[in-house]
Amino acid sequence: MSHFQHVHESYRHVMALGERERVDFLETQRWIGYPVAARILERLERLLRQPKRTRMQSLLVVGESNNGKTTLIERFLETAGQPSVDDNNDPVKPVLLVESPPSADEKGLYLSILDRFHAPHRASDPVSKLRYQVLHLCRACHVRMLVVDEFHSLVSGTGSKQREVMNVIKFLCNELAVPIVGAGTREAVRALHHDPQHASRFDVMELPLWTLDKDFQRMLASIEKTLPLKNPSKLSQPALARPLHYISQGNLGNLLRLLNECSTEAIESGTEAIDQKIIENNKWVRPTAGIRERIG
């Protein structure tokens, strides 16, 4: 496999597989590092290491839908948030990731947290009982950070519901002395700004859409190293970078999906490289504003 120098060494073993297996490999999650993500990961690690104090600083990671927020959080969990057992055989769950509940209220948040612990509970239980269970389990499992994905959904209700949920977030942060990390769209920022006390607790870091520049070209070069194609595509060259940026609209998730589809075409057609024709003729279906839009 040494002659596939355009493929990262971590993925060269895939080149020995057949066409169908290589196409299937494209659907596996592969981490693509880039400067903004590295800065956010570093910040998350610093928050995880911060000593307990009365007022823990928290973080809100925002960006467009499908632009890499959840993938970044999952990467953080892999590198710094793996559960373990301490010297006393007690469970340790340093980072607790929960999904924003369907009902944006206090009970809904507690139920989502308890689901992540796989703890027995009933949705009909009073809020006070659920609250006690959450606090007990977080302490028993030595939780040091609570991460809420789709944070914008948590604060999307009426003004009174928003205040209720944010007061619960503040309560958990204070009572457990842990940082809260939210990941969501910019709607979450607007919700935070309704109350200066809540806004002051959260720093905001953004995963912006990509512009057509050198950083985008470097990103394409990094992605190309993860694609199981026998020939180099030179995606970072302007002739290919321009249509890739135009079609993906600078959205990382869209870009990865587009390149997976183009790679599939390159493998099945036998060209084993992505060229301008494959990009511009690709029939990838992109979700846009809730409408399925066909490209090409």
Side-chain angles (χ1 to χ4, degrees):
M1 297 301 121
S2 60
H3 55 290
F4 295 120
Q5 295 299 314
H6 59 287
V7 179
H8 192 278
E9 58 183 8
S10 300
Y11 303 111
R12 284 178 197 160
H13 67 282
V14 180
M15 304 307 299
L17 302 177
E19 290 186 5
R20 178 50 50 198
E21 289 79 9
R22 285 189 288 138
V23 169
D24 291 344
F25 170 78
L26 290 167
E27 297 303 320
T28 63
Q29 185 161 293
R30 297 157 339 256
W31 171 250
I32 309 295
Y34 52 98
V36 174
R39 287 196 294 273
I40 294 176
L41 287 172
E42 181 183 0
R43 184 59 175 276
L44 289 170
E45 290 170 3
R46 284 169 50 198
L47 286 176
L48 189 61
R49 295 194 306 267
Q50 69 177 314
K52 290 182 178 293
R53 57 180 184 267
T54 303
R55 183 186 174 92
M56 301 291 286
Q57 194 62 29
S58 296
L59 178 67
L60 184 59
V61 180
V62 300
E64 295 289 330
S65 295
N66 198 33
N67 201 35
K69 299 181 297 297
T70 299
T71 301
L72 187 147
I73 294 299
E74 290 174 350
R75 176 67 175 181
F76 175 65
L77 287 174
E78 290 175 6
T79 58
Q82 288 298 305
S84 61
V85 177
D86 64 16
D87 294 338
N88 298 319
N89 288 324
D90 291 331
V92 176
K93 197 174 183 68
V95 180
L96 181 64
L97 171 63
V98 301
E99 191 82 16
S100 177
S103 57
D105 54 24
E106 182 176 10
K107 175 175 276 193
L109 180 56
Y110 291 150
L111 291 174
S112 289
I113 293 174
L114 292 172
D115 282 341
R116 297 302 295 177
F117 280 114
H118 304 290
H121 60 276
R122 293 180 299 181
S124 59
D125 286 341
V127 169
S128 58
K129 181 178 180 180
L130 298 174
R131 184 190 303 123
Y132 171 81
Q133 283 185 272
V134 166
L135 293 176
H136 171 73
L137 287 169
C138 286
R139 288 169 178 149
C141 294
H142 306 283
V143 172
R144 291 158 45 208
M145 176 183 287
L146 175 63
V147 181
V148 182
D149 200 8
E150 302 295 328
F151 195 85
H152 53 277
S153 298
L154 193 64
V155 293
S156 62
T158 63
S160 61
K161 286 295 184 182
Q162 287 183 17
R163 287 189 293 273
E164 177 183 332
V165 169
M166 290 309 302
N167 283 334
V168 174
I169 293 291
K170 182 172 69 172
F171 168 78
L172 292 174
C173 183
N174 290 344
E175 192 69 20
L176 297 171
V178 300
I180 307 294
V181 174
T185 63
R186 292 201 63 83
E187 282 75 9
V189 179
R190 287 195 285 271
L192 286 179
H193 285 172
H194 288 166
D195 189 329
Q197 286 191 16
H198 296 318
S200 66
R201 289 174 175 265
F202 283 84
D203 294 328
V204 178
M205 298 186 75
E206 183 176 9
L207 281 172
L209 294 176
W210 291 83
T211 57
L212 184 56
D213 56 16
K214 293 293 184 182
D215 286 337
F216 182 73
Q217 290 175 281
R218 280 191 283 268
M219 164 64 79
L220 289 174
S222 296
I223 295 174
E224 182 171 352
K225 289 182 175 296
T226 73
L227 301 177
L229 300 176
K230 294 181 179 180
N231 300 318
S233 301
K234 300 181 180 179
L235 298 178
S236 62
Q237 296 299 309
L240 300 186
R242 280 193 293 269
L244 287 171
H245 183 270
Y246 174 77
I247 295 172
S248 69
Q249 299 180 332
N251 181 291
L252 181 57
N254 288 350
L255 176 66
L256 294 173
R257 178 73 183 279
L258 172 61
L259 288 174
N260 281 353
E261 295 294 332
C262 289
S263 296
T264 298
E265 173 65 22
I267 292 172
E268 293 179 345
S269 67
T271 62
E272 292 290 346
I274 298 172
D275 56 24
Q276 192 167 352
K277 180 180 179 181
I278 286 179
I279 294 172
E280 294 179 349
N281 292 340
N282 190 269
K283 301 302 180 181
W284 171 60
V285 177
R286 180 183 67 217
T288 302
I291 301 173
R292 304 298 290 182
E293 176 183 328
R294 182 170 291 276
I295 302 299

